[in-house]
């Protein structure tokens, strides 16, 4: 197999030949057909997340077909599956026992603490792979595995208010805008100030308003989700939500939040974060996605150009999501 490997933090990934691996008990080997590029991959490369496995093969939005099966696995050879960020949980810690496996004390995360999908093949714990069926292309489905799925968890946690703001309109927001519209909500899209291209992209996906993060929406929001890794957005979002409104930080990493006056949190506004996903999130979202008819906007790169895809994500050079194709 071949992979783009992060051999040292804060360096470019390297194209590497590796011996083929065999799946152990409970594992599957998947021939990768597409792997989305997530902002979390940038945080991994940049060394912004604690305790990575290095060297590591990044990538946790994997779509592929099973080409080897370990003992005790119910999935079948040739079946198309998606492999998400949550790669393994212990099943016995207090969080696993209270159905919050996203907070497991001893988890493994795909592309961070176990090898991921920037590769021609990967090994996964079969219990954490989602059967995807045959509808939809591999590339179109890949961004659903994290941008869609953790975005979905964020939207659920944001509550059922009608007016929802998205700060940062990238891979996750472009999917969630379609979900929120389908649910009958109004989406307000906030982009970098002056980014008119992304603002019109948001309008084409049904946003009722799009503007810069430095602007106030025309009316107060019921909830806001912050997708951009920018702590300065937290006080801005708190100012944009009504009394009792909710602000959800959806990212795994964020720059420091500047201090802000208590009065913008007061009146029972809530500030929360989202961490990881549960398998139930995946089941719920992937069941709903075909009904909504989500259309992902993707830019494909050959696997060997993973560094270019990461650079383009960092610079905001595409709308929607980047996807690597081996
Ligand atoms: Zn991700
Ligand atoms: Zn656990």
């Amino acid at each position: 197999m071949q992979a783009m490997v992060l051999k040292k933090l804060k360096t470019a990934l390297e194209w590497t030949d590796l011996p083929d691996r065999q799946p152990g008990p409970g594992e599957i080997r998947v021939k990768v057909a597409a792997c989305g590029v997530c902002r979390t991959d940038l945080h991994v490369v940049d060394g912004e997340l604690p305790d990575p496995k290095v060297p590591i093969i990044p990538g946790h939005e994997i779509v592929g077909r099973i080409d080897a099966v370990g003992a005790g696995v119910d999935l079948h050879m040739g079946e198309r599956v998606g492999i998400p960020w949550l790669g393994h949980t212990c099943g016995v810690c207090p969080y696993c026992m209270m159905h919050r496996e996203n907070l497991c004390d001893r988890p493994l995360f795909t592309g961070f603490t176990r090898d991921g999908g920037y590769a021609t093949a990967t090994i996964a714990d079969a219990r954490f792979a989602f059967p995807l069926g045959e509808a939809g292309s591999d590339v179109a489905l890949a961004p659903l595995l994290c941008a869609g799925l953790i975005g979905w968890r964020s939207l659920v946690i944001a509550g059922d208010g009608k007016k929802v703001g998205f700060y940062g309109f990238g891979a996750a927001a472009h999917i969630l805008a379609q979900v929120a519209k389908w649910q009958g909500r109004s989406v307000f899209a906030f982009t970098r100030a002056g980014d008119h291209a992304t603002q019109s992209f948001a309008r084409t996906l049904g946003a009722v308003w799009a503007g810069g993060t430095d602007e106030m929406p025309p009316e107060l929001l019921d909830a806001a989700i912050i997708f951009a890794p920018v702590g300065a957005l937290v006080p801005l979002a708190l100012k944009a939500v009504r009394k009792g409104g909710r602000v959800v930080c959806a990212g795994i990493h964020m720059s420091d939040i500047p201090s802000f006056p208590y009065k913008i949190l007061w009146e029972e506004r809530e500030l929360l974060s989202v961490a990881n996903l549960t398998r139930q999130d995946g089941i719920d979202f992937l069941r709903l996605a075909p009904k909504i008819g989500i259309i992902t906007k993707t830019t494909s790169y050959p696997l060997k150009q993973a560094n270019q895809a990461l650079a383009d994500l960092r610079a905001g050079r595409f709308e929607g999501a980047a996807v690597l194709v081996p």
Side-chain angles (χ1 to χ4, degrees), residues 2-326:
Q2 287 84 37
M4 289 297 283
V5 181
L6 179 69
K7 294 187 175 164
K8 191 163 173 273
L9 297 179
K10 301 181 192 179
T11 62
L13 309 184
E14 292 177 38
W15 179 257
T16 309
D17 274 301
L18 296 164
D20 284 338
R21 287 183 52 202
Q22 294 302 321
E27 290 182 331
I28 49 176
R29 189 175 68 199
V30 173
K31 189 171 184 300
V32 178
C35 183
V37 177
C38 174
R39 183 163 292 280
T40 297
D41 303 340
L42 278 180
H43 299 313
V44 171
V45 171
D46 291 346
E48 289 171 327
L49 306 181
D51 307 321
K53 175 180 101 67
V54 181
I56 183 77
I57 302 169
H60 57 268
E61 297 182 309
I62 305 168
V63 176
R65 288 190 186 274
I66 298 173
D67 81 340
V69 178
V73 171
D74 282 339
L75 301 167
H76 308 293
M77 291 286 286
E79 191 166 358
R80 186 165 71 158
V81 292
I83 299 168
W85 169 249
L86 189 71
H88 177 82
T89 55
C90 76
V92 295
C93 77
Y95 298 98
C96 284
M97 298 306 284
M98 66 172 91
H99 305 291
R100 297 184 76 178
E101 66 178 357
N102 59 310
L103 302 178
C104 175
D105 282 334
R106 286 178 294 279
L108 289 174
F109 296 115
T110 310
F112 179 46
T113 52
R114 66 180 292 159
D115 282 329
Y118 286 18
T120 55
T122 193
I123 302 276
D125 183 327
R127 296 169 303 161
F128 292 81
F130 300 117
L132 291 180
E134 295 298 328
S137 79
D138 301 324
V139 167
L141 289 174
L144 300 184
L145 270 302
C146 181
L149 230 157
I150 292 186
W152 165 254
R153 183 173 178 85
S154 307
L155 190 63
V156 170
I157 286 179
D160 48 16
K162 288 279 180 220
K163 287 175 278 184
V164 190
F166 295 154
Y167 284 77
F169 204 86
H174 102 283
I175 294 169
L176 269 289
Q178 299 173 60
V179 177
K181 189 182 172 198
W182 181 81
Q183 293 174 325
R185 309 197 206 203
S186 299
V187 171
F188 297 73
F190 299 78
T191 73
R192 280 180 236 214
D195 185 354
H196 301 295
T198 305
Q199 288 165 17
S200 45
F201 177 54
R203 284 190 205 95
T204 65
L205 292 174
V208 297
W209 177 91
T213 53
D214 56 339
E215 293 175 53
M216 281 290 281
E219 47 195 323
L220 289 176
L221 307 173
D222 297 313
I225 304 175
I226 302 177
F227 293 109
V230 180
L233 295 175
V234 170
L236 294 174
L238 281 169
K239 283 182 199 164
V241 299
R242 61 163 170 78
K243 291 183 278 190
R246 203 172 272 184
V247 173
V248 179
C249 302
I252 193 168
H253 175 81
M254 193 180 242
S255 56
D256 285 353
I257 301 170
S259 74
F260 54 82
Y262 174 60
K263 70 175 181 189
I264 66 173
L265 177 63
W266 188 61
E267 296 172 320
E268 302 192 350
R269 290 176 185 85
E270 294 175 276
L271 178 60
L272 305 95
S273 70
V274 165
N276 313 315
L277 64 132
T278 64
R279 281 171 282 181
Q280 193 61 47
D281 293 328
I283 291 163
D284 294 345
F285 177 66
L286 293 170
R287 189 180 290 149
L288 206 56
K291 292 185 195 157
I292 300 170
I294 293 170
I295 296 169
T296 51
K297 180 165 170 61
T298 56
T299 304
S300 297
Y301 296 76
L303 174 60
K304 271 190 179 175
Q305 288 177 20
N307 290 307
Q308 186 62 48
L310 287 166
D312 290 349
L313 173 61
R314 194 188 295 281
R317 280 194 280 262
F318 53 78
E319 307 294 354
V323 179
L324 301 178
V325 179

